Amino acid sequence: MEKLICTVLLSLALGCGSTQIKESNTSEISNSPDGLKARVDAVEKKDDMVMDQKETSFSNSTGVGEIISFLSSNGLKGRDSGSEGIAKAADFIEKVFLNNGVAPYFNSYRDTLSNFSEPAYNMVGFVEGSDPELKKEFLVVGAHYDHIGVIKAVAGDSIANGANDNASGTTTVLELARYFGNAKTNKRSIIFALFSAEEKGLLGSIHLAKKLKEENLNLYAMLNFEMVGVPLKEKDYFMYITGYEASNLAEVSNNYAKENLIGFLPTAKEFDLFKRSDNYPFHTEFGVPSQTYCTFDFTNFDHYHKVGDEVSLMDFEHMAAVVNKTIPVLEGIANASSQELKYK
């Protein structure tokens, strides 16, 4: 999350998660064009399963592991905005969109930022809704795919790989895009947005929110994913949302999930996380429910903006569960006959 105060992290008793890599072949990752193609092809192998599988088994640990392992590999050098590393991530995102029925929302998938000095762009895909009227209403499903790049070395490692922050959220959005791009089960239209320059001050989402507002987009809600790579501990809910008390999103999510999927995290309110991620510019511009799903609670991950934010600490089974549990929620919200999400 953008600009979380370092002293906040130091003042809390943070504990490193005990999760481990599952079904990973990360030692053989290649950053060459052939290696990138192989990894995208591996993601695509499961496309023909979409209509045959239940929603709860669409994503799996192998699939999410392949995606996040590439996005947080050393060859991408921490995905700093405007860098060669983040350009490789953009190439990967584009191919996933292109090969899974997700069209460019603009003339290209790449939407160049107007508020950042270096060449940088959001990646913006689109799955049109199936209902003649409801498709005029839009959901934005997003995450930032940038990180902080190369920083001061610790034990010889200077690459801040950003696996949890936020290759995990990017992986979630790509899996959701892959599902809806193939299944086409959404009556409302969905924009899948991967933001650059979040770490520079939410610049990517500020740019896109303003641009869509100027186009008079009929935005129903913005649902963002941030730091979902490791599970919550000792909670009776699976995820939390920022701005929990501001809307009925938790209630609606739990209804469609048929479980206690979303709960209230007091520290999210205490540190005002609602304003610290890419949901916030959409709230500011549109005034519609715009919130972030997250499983980072200040106690389960000790590597925020550090070189230790590595894929080896990510829980792939948990990440697949995030996708699978979110699919019926998004389908429910996208297909409801009326706009049930409301700010209180």
Side-chain angles (χ1 to χ4, degrees):
M1 296 181 179
E2 184 267 338
K3 293 184 178 178
L4 275 173
I5 303 173
C6 293
T7 53
V8 167
L9 297 175
L10 293 173
S11 66
L12 296 168
L14 299 180
C16 176
S18 60
T19 54
Q20 296 179 350
I21 293 182
K22 301 174 180 65
E23 302 178 57
S24 174
N25 293 316
T26 56
S27 63
E28 298 178 2
I29 292 172
S30 170
N31 295 318
S32 68
D34 289 342
L36 179 59
K37 182 179 185 301
R39 189 157 292 283
V40 174
D41 288 344
V43 174
E44 293 163 8
K45 284 180 181 178
K46 295 180 285 299
D47 290 346
D48 58 356
M49 300 165 63
V50 173
M51 301 310 294
D52 295 328
Q53 288 186 316
K54 295 180 180 180
E55 294 164 348
T56 52
S57 60
F58 171 77
S59 190
N60 60 47
S61 60
T62 301
V64 298
E66 288 165 352
I67 298 171
I68 193 171
S69 294
F70 175 77
L71 292 173
S72 57
S73 60
N74 284 343
L76 272 62
K77 301 291 185 183
R79 306 186 311 279
D80 196 9
S81 297
S83 70
E84 292 182 6
I86 199 172
K88 294 179 181 179
D91 289 342
F92 181 86
I93 292 166
E94 180 172 3
K95 290 182 179 179
V96 174
F97 280 170
L98 181 63
N99 289 297
N100 287 283
V102 181
Y105 180 74
F106 301 111
N107 292 332
S108 166
Y109 291 111
R110 299 166 194 250
D111 176 37
T112 302
L113 271 57
S114 59
N115 54 359
F116 188 60
S117 57
E118 300 294 328
Y121 32 83
N122 298 324
M123 303 299 293
V124 188
F126 166 63
V127 177
E128 186 176 24
S130 61
D131 185 272
E133 290 302 317
L134 291 179
K135 73 178 182 180
K136 299 173 185 177
E137 301 174 9
F138 285 76
L139 299 173
V140 171
V141 176
H144 73 91
Y145 75 110
D146 68 307
H147 195 49
I148 59 174
V150 178
I151 61 175
K152 184 178 179 180
V154 176
D157 184 5
S158 61
I159 299 175
N161 300 83
N164 202 18
D165 185 14
N166 189 32
S168 65
T170 300
T171 299
T172 300
V173 171
L174 287 177
E175 283 286 82
L176 293 171
R178 187 170 70 87
Y179 176 82
F180 284 99
N182 285 279
K184 310 291 186 188
T185 55
N186 51 300
K187 294 181 178 180
R188 289 181 173 86
S189 297
I190 305 178
I191 291 173
F192 294 97
L194 285 311
F195 304 107
S196 188
E198 188 268 0
E199 301 289 1
K200 310 298 184 183
L202 309 180
L203 297 183
S205 52
I206 289 172
H207 164 86
L208 184 61
K210 288 182 179 295
K211 187 171 183 175
L212 294 177
K213 182 65 173 179
E214 290 171 358
E215 294 184 353
N216 295 315
L217 183 85
N218 185 6
L219 182 63
Y220 171 26
M222 192 280 176
L223 306 177
N224 190 54
F225 292 85
E226 176 95 38
M227 297 183 73
V228 291
V230 295
L232 295 168
K233 296 180 178 180
E234 300 179 352
K235 303 289 194 300
D236 63 357
Y237 51 87
F238 183 74
M239 291 189 286
Y240 68 89
I241 53 171
T242 62
Y244 178 94
E245 298 169 307
S247 80
N248 65 340
L249 177 59
E251 177 184 350
V252 170
S253 297
N254 292 342
N255 179 55
Y256 286 124
K258 295 181 171 54
E259 64 176 283
N260 194 27
L261 183 70
I262 305 300
F264 172 65
L265 182 71
T267 48
K269 179 179 180 180
E270 180 182 355
F271 299 121
D272 206 6
L273 299 188
F274 177 69
K275 296 181 180 180
R276 297 185 183 275
S277 194
D278 290 305
N279 60 285
Y280 191 62
F282 291 88
H283 161 78
T284 301
E285 289 293 330
F286 288 92
V288 300
S290 306
Q291 293 167 269
T292 293
Y293 293 90
C294 186
T295 63
F296 165 71
D297 70 350
F298 299 93
T299 69
N300 62 348
F301 191 72
D302 193 23
H303 303 278
Y304 170 75
H305 281 193
K306 298 177 183 178
V307 297
D309 188 358
E310 300 270 9
V311 72
S312 59
L313 298 179
M314 299 299 99
D315 187 328
F316 298 164
E317 290 183 0
H318 164 74
M319 291 177 60
V322 170
V323 176
N324 292 328
K325 291 174 182 291
T326 301
I327 285 172
V329 173
L330 287 186
E331 281 189 326
I333 293 171
N335 296 338
S337 59
S338 62
Q339 293 189 356
E340 57 194 338
L341 293 181
K342 307 286 185 182
Y343 272 142
K344 296 179 181 178

